[in-house]
Amino acid sequence: MLRLYGHTFSSYTWKALIALYANDTPFTFHQIGEGNADDDAFVAAAGPSGQFPVLSDGAVTVFEATSIIEHLHLHHRGPQPLLPDDPALAIRTRMWDRVFDLHVMNVMQDVVAEKIRHPDNPDLAIRERVEARLGRSYRWIEQWLTDYTRRDAVTLVECAAAPSLFYADWVHPIPDDCSQLRAWRAHLLALPAVARCVDDARPYRHYFPLGAPDRD
Ligand SMILES: N[C@@H](CCC(=O)N[C@@H](CS)C(=O)NCC(=O)O)C(=O)O
């Protein structure tokens, strides 16, 4: 039986969960940081950052959400192919995955990290830089969506896009003139695999350091 270690409120944990849910892949979920010392120690030792999610598959341990999805695609393939079989399209898919991790999710996390570091006096220059970078990413994705045709599937792209856009929009709302992107975020949140993550995370919304908005 596969074991996924993560936290229900964690964006990168969602990324792996969406892949598992979309394919009805059987697994057990191990919640980190909520009192199970053995699970916490396992994650702390699994990779150099000690971060989650981490997947355990028999003797194999996989960290990094993208690598977990690659592993699921190779060893536990379900009805939803997480990567295309065409190698050239697979490269494009991996490149788009990097867009959501590096230019949406990790950017958004700078504001969250600054609020945790300085809860009473966060550096406004960091927020300004993050808003500028997110704005640029939003506009790039808005253009990219014009030619993105696989919108009803759940692939590595959707696994990366749903959690990153969910939380980034809380930090810096997607502007009205990015209408395709706003509609795509709503579409992603309505996918059953994503909706399940959103709902399971509701009890933990008070963990969001900036204060969760009253929506979604
Ligand atoms: N690059 C990693 C990022 C993982 C990550 O940032 N995980 C966060 C939760 S969303 C975490 O473990 N936070 C707790 C910590 O850093 O100790 C991935 O893609 O899996």
Side-chain angles (χ1 to χ4, degrees):
M1 175 66 92
L2 293 170
R3 285 178 295 180
L4 184 76
Y5 297 80
H7 194 282
T8 314
F9 194 63
S10 132
S11 50
Y12 279 107
T13 301
W14 284 19
K15 186 170 163 180
L17 283 171
I18 292 163
L20 289 159
Y21 290 153
N23 276 313
D24 278 328
T25 309
F27 70 102
T28 57
F29 187 67
H30 294 248
Q31 188 88 300
I32 295 307
E34 302 283 341
N36 188 319
D38 288 346
D39 287 351
D40 292 357
F42 177 77
V43 166
S49 70
Q51 290 183 311
F52 43 83
V54 174
L55 183 79
S56 169
D57 184 4
V60 178
T61 300
V62 189
F63 57 88
E64 289 294 322
T66 297
S67 303
I68 290 171
I69 292 171
E70 296 257 10
H71 179 92
L72 293 172
H73 180 66
L74 188 62
H75 297 290
H76 301 274
R77 197 179 278 224
Q80 295 265 358
L82 299 167
L83 282 156
D85 289 330
D86 174 357
L89 192 52
I91 292 175
R92 310 292 294 164
T93 302
R94 292 185 176 99
M95 181 179 76
W96 297 327
D97 168 66
R98 298 295 75 219
V99 169
F100 293 103
D101 276 17
L102 302 180
H103 303 295
V104 180
M105 191 104 90
N106 293 0
V107 175
M108 168 273 295
Q109 283 180 342
D110 282 353
V111 170
V112 175
E114 174 61 9
K115 179 73 177 171
I116 293 169
R117 266 193 310 268
H118 302 114
D120 298 327
N121 192 21
D123 185 345
L124 290 180
I126 292 180
R127 173 169 274 282
E128 275 175 26
R129 270 200 305 275
V130 165
E131 291 186 355
R133 289 184 64 193
L134 283 178
R136 186 173 170 165
S137 299
Y138 290 161
R139 285 176 208 295
W140 185 90
I141 298 165
E142 175 76 7
Q143 287 302 311
W144 167 79
L145 277 169
T146 304
D147 295 322
Y148 183 61
T149 52
R150 309 208 50 224
R151 296 193 197 185
D152 286 329
V154 174
T155 72
L156 177 60
V157 169
E158 284 69 27
C159 294
S164 58
L165 292 172
F166 177 82
Y167 285 112
D169 186 61
W170 281 11
V171 168
H172 179 51
I174 299 167
D176 287 344
D177 61 358
C178 288
S179 56
Q180 294 201 93
L181 178 53
R182 288 169 65 91
W184 192 48
R185 180 180 182 273
H187 161 80
L188 290 169
L189 298 192
L191 292 170
V194 179
R196 192 168 164 186
C197 291
V198 173
D199 284 340
D200 288 349
R202 284 185 200 285
Y204 299 100
R205 283 192 173 194
H206 61 281
Y207 283 10
F208 194 63
L210 305 171
D214 191 15
R215 59 183 168 91
D216 296 324

